[in-house]
Amino acid sequence: MEKINIAIDGPAAAGKSTVAKKVAEALHYTYIDTGAMYRAATYLALKNHANLDDEREILALLKQAPISLSYTDDAQHIFLGEVDVTDAIRTDDVSNNVSLVATHKGVRREMVKIQRELIKQAGVVMDGRDIGTHVIPDAAVKIFMIASVDERAERRYKENLAKGYEADLEAIKADIRQRDKIDQEREVSPLVKASDAIELDTTSQSIDEVKNEILAIVKEKVN
Ligand code: CDP
Ligand code: CDP
């Protein structure tokens, strides 16, 4: 079967990465999590006590410890220089600051450069905020995944509980709202539905239902 590239965008905790991973698995494609790249840049800046408003400082740090990705057992690993930071980038501190770092034009340019290298060979499911609008404007399938804020917060809450951590539901809601706002209002490549993207409201859908819906859309395109 001919291979295509699939772009999945949407707000925080809509289910993008969970579903994208399953779609990639079903199609034997590679799943690429672009949020991890902005998280890695943020982790690096925080670790070095950089001024997050100063993109030159962040870019200088990224020059010393460039971001790279590797794929083993179908899982994405992200590195800063030689250091694997796949787990280290998932802290609240990174989550609370990543949208600010992601507003910088130069930082975005560097991330997009890496992302475009990865899509040269088709067969990629890439998720993020600007994939359908900017990174892969010619993607054969573009999905814009949404869900209500309450549902998204509930999903994150349950995810934390499963990891043995009881988070504050209202705090999760506030984080989601704040990140969505910064992502939607930034000047460079804001979070917006591409005109040719298919919007999927997953508020009352299970992971498998969303996965199957996307696989049906892909099947229609490829055949
Ligand atoms: O936590 P969640 O999975 O919702 O977010 P993520 O995919 O890890 O992305 C973290 C943050 O990175 C987003 O809130 C955006 O600020 C930024 N991001 C972006 O600007 N562009 C992308 N293509 C991916 C992520
Ligand atoms: O990548 P993004 O931030 O859009 O969301 P995610 O991390 O894939 O999903 C957030 C949480 O919602 C995860 O715990 C998923 O298992 C869950 N989820 C769900 O319960 N129902 C869906 N239809 C999609 C995701």
Side-chain angles (χ1 to χ4, degrees):
M1 198 157 74
E2 174 211 354
K3 288 198 167 182
I4 58 166
N5 286 328
I6 301 169
I8 303 185
D9 292 297
K16 301 181 297 298
S17 59
T18 308
V19 173
K21 233 176 266 173
K22 286 185 168 266
V23 168
E25 233 171 67
L27 296 170
H28 303 290
Y29 280 22
T30 306
Y31 163 58
I32 299 171
D33 168 10
T34 64
M37 299 180 201
Y38 293 93
R39 284 177 175 273
T42 307
Y43 169 81
L44 182 67
L46 289 170
K47 191 162 172 273
N48 288 280
H49 308 287
N51 174 1
L52 300 187
D53 287 318
D54 184 350
E55 88 162 345
R56 276 179 313 178
E57 215 179 311
I58 301 170
L59 288 170
L61 288 168
L62 281 171
K63 241 193 185 123
Q64 289 166 19
I67 290 178
S68 62
L69 299 165
S70 82
Y71 294 88
T72 41
D73 301 328
D74 288 341
Q76 172 177 293
H77 280 258
I78 186 155
F79 296 83
L80 284 167
E82 301 292 309
V83 185
D84 186 334
V85 293
T86 309
D87 295 327
I89 61 172
R90 302 283 159 197
T91 62
D92 284 346
D93 203 14
V94 171
S95 295
N96 292 335
N97 289 287
V98 60
S99 286
L100 169 60
V101 170
T103 59
H104 298 308
K105 194 176 186 168
V107 172
R108 301 200 69 82
R109 196 184 304 127
E110 288 305 309
M111 303 299 129
V112 172
K113 223 189 274 171
I114 303 170
Q115 291 155 14
R116 291 215 174 118
E117 281 300 315
L118 295 166
I119 54 161
K120 280 189 175 159
Q121 208 171 348
V124 160
V125 184
M126 186 177 274
D127 86 330
R129 303 293 189 285
D130 59 343
I131 310 306
T133 51
H134 184 62
V135 181
I136 331 179
D138 60 348
V141 170
K142 296 182 187 180
I143 305 292
F144 195 75
M145 201 180 283
I146 60 166
S148 71
V149 174
D150 285 351
E151 172 63 21
R152 290 187 280 136
E154 192 71 37
R155 288 175 183 175
R156 273 274 185 270
Y157 177 79
K158 284 187 188 147
E159 185 180 316
N160 285 327
L161 265 191
K163 287 182 195 157
Y165 165 61
E166 170 126 39
D168 175 358
L169 184 63
E170 287 310 312
I172 296 177
K173 228 178 266 183
D175 162 58
I176 284 178
R177 279 213 174 91
Q178 197 205 357
R179 260 191 316 132
D180 286 356
K181 183 171 158 58
I182 301 174
D183 290 344
Q184 284 160 348
E185 291 181 356
R186 72 170 170 243
E187 250 170 67
V188 193
S189 315
L191 167 65
V192 60
K193 178 181 164 293
S195 57
D196 52 350
I198 297 169
E199 183 169 294
L200 298 184
D201 185 342
T202 74
T203 304
S204 51
Q205 279 185 308
S206 72
I207 293 166
D208 277 341
E209 281 171 337
V210 186
K211 177 192 82 173
N212 290 333
E213 208 169 331
I214 296 176
L215 288 176
I217 293 167
V218 171
K219 202 167 169 204
E220 207 162 277
K221 276 277 170 194
V222 173
N223 285 338

